[in-house]
Amino acid sequence: MSTAQQIASFRKVSAGVLASAHLAAQDDRPVVLKKDVSLALKRVAPALGIDGTAYHVLDILLGLVQGDDFKAGRRPVVAISNQRLADYTRKTTRTVTRCLKKLVEAGILAYRDSPTGRRFVYRGRAGEAEQAYGLDFTPACFNLEAFKQQADAFQRRLKAEQEAKRTITRLSRAIADMAEADPASFHDFFTSAQSVVKRDQVTLAERAEMLRSLYEEALALHEANSDKSNDKMSCAGDIDVSPLSITTQTDSLRSNDERTCSNEQDTNLSADNGFAVEMALEREPCGARTELQPPKPQAARPAGGKLPETNLDGVSIGLIRAACTQVQSEIGLSFSDWSRLCQAADHLRILIGLSPAGYQNAVERQGKFLAAACLVVVAEKALRDPEIASPGGYFRAMIDRAGEGKLHLHKSLHGLVS
């Protein structure tokens, strides 16, 4: 069938639409597995700019296409109307039309229109499609290897940006500590670090390299000052040494009250200090506590529900690490503690096609630890079962169940381990 016969006359064609139609018209379609196509498309979706409703539509189509239709001699076509997709996604048909065109121009789908414009599939006795008109996944089969390479490149870029952010936070914090300890010597370094952090016209990697050079200069000056101080120190046995004073319990308590941990420091940061805000991105909790269980926030009990920490009963970071192995392999991170899991939330959110507003709403309702735990469970299940229709909806349902006190997250995790 020619390209002109596959695209209805009422459609506005573009270069991407024509390219997908050309691939769909080829007879030598690569034989692939549905699970390989599903996994590759979900991994490459963020790199292609497919998110929100477009990702939801793609999820629905992947759930409807039959695995046997990817075999040789068959055609992976989904016959579903725009109105039905609009009902599933709770969007308008015009929104669905724009999303489908986006998927077509990305090289995932192709329009395979019937003469009347209707979408339908007539199957023979063996289940093969004798006539198939609708949305064709043939372009995705041709572009599968390219999509895998694009997804790998996107993941490498995300990891590089994340590492650059960590470097910026770590070095800027170190320079700020030096400036606080010795303002006279390190104030200029602090000012320079502020300007580097706020320099949006350069990349994160370039900012990290600038801060590394600045930190090395500051460290060299700090070591030089330390050597001078050591030369001036009196040796052991000198007189006029003040005796040690015994502090009372009241003094100790007062000292502890005055010592703030990272969260309190974040609260006291001035609003106009952009550098301080940057330093507060990855503050670690005070103390040497091992984060086997998340810290329990002081939150009000929801009406008719449970506290967020109650929903995490029986859930440890070790259990999450043992249950969600595919997610850790996919994003290249190990969930060694709860802070590392929370830092990976953006990766996991993109992986399941959840919007930033959707995740922020979950954090506000149930706290960042429970939201991150639900997010990683949904991502793991989506990777193991590509036919999950809507991972984002799955996540929102878990948050709703948590608010009703009906979430049993530890059971889901134990099920993933076994």
Side-chain angles (χ1 to χ4, degrees):
M1 184 176 291
S2 67
T3 300
Q5 290 174 312
Q6 289 181 347
I7 303 178
S9 59
F10 60 82
R11 298 195 184 279
K12 293 182 179 179
V13 298
S14 62
V17 172
L18 290 175
S20 295
H22 176 72
L23 291 177
Q26 304 299 317
D27 294 330
D28 55 343
R29 177 180 64 83
V31 178
V32 298
L33 297 177
K34 176 184 174 180
K35 64 177 183 180
D36 294 337
V37 174
S38 298
L39 181 58
L41 292 181
K42 289 186 177 182
R43 290 184 64 232
V44 80
L48 298 176
I50 297 172
D51 54 7
T53 305
Y55 187 92
H56 193 181
V57 170
L58 175 62
D59 246 351
I60 294 172
L61 297 178
L62 286 173
L64 293 176
V65 67
Q66 296 190 12
D68 291 340
D69 287 343
F70 286 91
K71 295 180 179 179
R74 297 195 178 187
R75 185 172 289 274
V77 174
V78 180
I80 183 173
S81 66
N82 289 359
Q83 183 59 54
R84 182 61 59 87
L85 285 173
D87 294 338
Y88 286 160
T89 58
R90 296 184 179 181
K91 303 293 182 180
T92 64
T93 55
R94 294 188 65 180
T95 299
V96 169
T97 301
R98 288 193 296 268
C99 292
L100 289 175
K101 186 175 181 181
K102 189 174 185 178
L103 296 175
V104 171
E105 292 179 335
I108 296 174
L109 299 174
Y111 295 118
R112 189 174 179 84
D113 295 324
S114 66
T116 62
R118 291 195 312 110
R119 298 170 186 166
F120 60 89
V121 176
Y122 292 155
R123 297 188 180 275
R125 294 182 178 180
E128 74 282 3
E130 295 180 347
Q131 294 186 53
Y133 296 98
L135 302 166
D136 193 351
F137 274 99
T138 298
C141 299
F142 280 100
N143 295 325
L144 184 59
E145 293 303 321
F147 284 159
K148 290 180 179 179
Q149 295 175 9
Q150 194 170 355
D152 291 339
F154 181 74
Q155 289 296 327
R156 288 194 296 269
R157 182 170 64 83
L158 283 183
K159 291 175 184 177
E161 289 180 355
Q162 186 178 43
E163 184 60 31
K165 289 179 181 179
R166 291 173 180 169
T167 300
I168 291 172
T169 302
R170 175 173 54 84
L171 297 181
S172 58
R173 183 187 303 167
I175 294 174
D177 290 342
M178 292 180 184
E180 184 177 357
D182 188 358
S185 301
F186 298 101
H187 176 72
D188 292 340
F189 289 97
F190 179 80
T191 304
S192 300
Q194 277 186 311
S195 63
V196 170
V197 170
K198 297 178 180 179
R199 191 175 299 175
D200 296 332
Q201 62 271 23
V202 298
T203 64
L204 288 172
E206 291 173 338
R207 274 184 274 176
E209 191 59 34
M210 292 177 185
L211 278 176
R212 185 177 288 108
S213 300
L214 196 63
Y215 173 71
E216 290 175 355
E217 294 179 13
L219 188 61
L221 178 60
H222 175 70
E223 292 175 352
N225 291 344
S226 298
D227 292 340
K228 293 179 181 179
S229 299
N230 291 336
D231 293 340
K232 295 179 181 180
M233 288 177 62
S234 60
C235 62
D238 284 349
I239 61 174
D240 297 333
V241 177
S242 301
L244 294 175
S245 60
I246 301 176
T247 59
T248 63
Q249 184 177 5
T250 303
D251 294 333
S252 176
L253 292 175
R254 183 183 300 112
S255 176
N256 288 337
D257 289 338
E258 293 173 355
R259 180 182 301 170
T260 60
C261 65
S262 60
N263 290 338
E264 293 166 345
Q265 291 169 356
D266 292 344
T267 305
N268 295 331
L269 292 174
S270 60
D272 58 347
N273 191 348
F275 176 63
V277 172
E278 185 72 31
M279 291 190 298
L281 289 177
E282 294 186 4
R283 295 283 190 180
E284 297 179 355
C286 295
R289 175 179 58 82
T290 302
E291 290 192 277
L292 295 179
Q293 293 284 353
K296 296 183 177 182
Q298 299 297 325
R301 182 184 299 272
K306 300 190 295 185
L307 289 173
E309 61 267 24
T310 310
N311 287 306
L312 283 172
D313 285 348
V315 177
S316 66
I317 193 64
L319 178 59
I320 293 176
R321 185 168 58 248
C324 303
T325 54
Q326 290 195 23
V327 168
Q328 295 174 83
S329 175
E330 175 67 25
I331 65 177
L333 291 177
S334 176
F335 302 142
S336 55
D337 51 45
W338 284 93
S339 62
R340 185 66 66 89
L341 174 60
C342 293
Q343 290 169 7
D346 279 342
H347 291 277
L348 300 174
R349 178 185 60 75
I350 293 174
L351 189 62
I352 70 170
L354 181 68
S355 66
Y359 182 68
Q360 183 61 33
N361 177 262
V363 171
E364 292 173 356
R365 292 173 58 189
Q366 294 297 328
K368 64 178 181 179
F369 296 105
L370 180 59
C374 292
L375 194 62
V376 72
V377 168
V378 174
E380 181 72 18
K381 289 186 175 182
L383 288 175
R384 295 190 187 186
D385 183 10
E387 295 190 6
I388 292 180
S390 174
Y394 196 121
F395 172 79
R396 286 187 286 269
M398 291 182 69
I399 296 300
D400 290 340
R401 290 180 66 86
E404 298 169 359
K406 299 178 181 180
L407 182 66
H408 303 289
L409 192 58
H410 64 287
K411 293 183 180 180
S412 298
L413 288 166
H414 283 295
L416 292 173
V417 172
S418 60

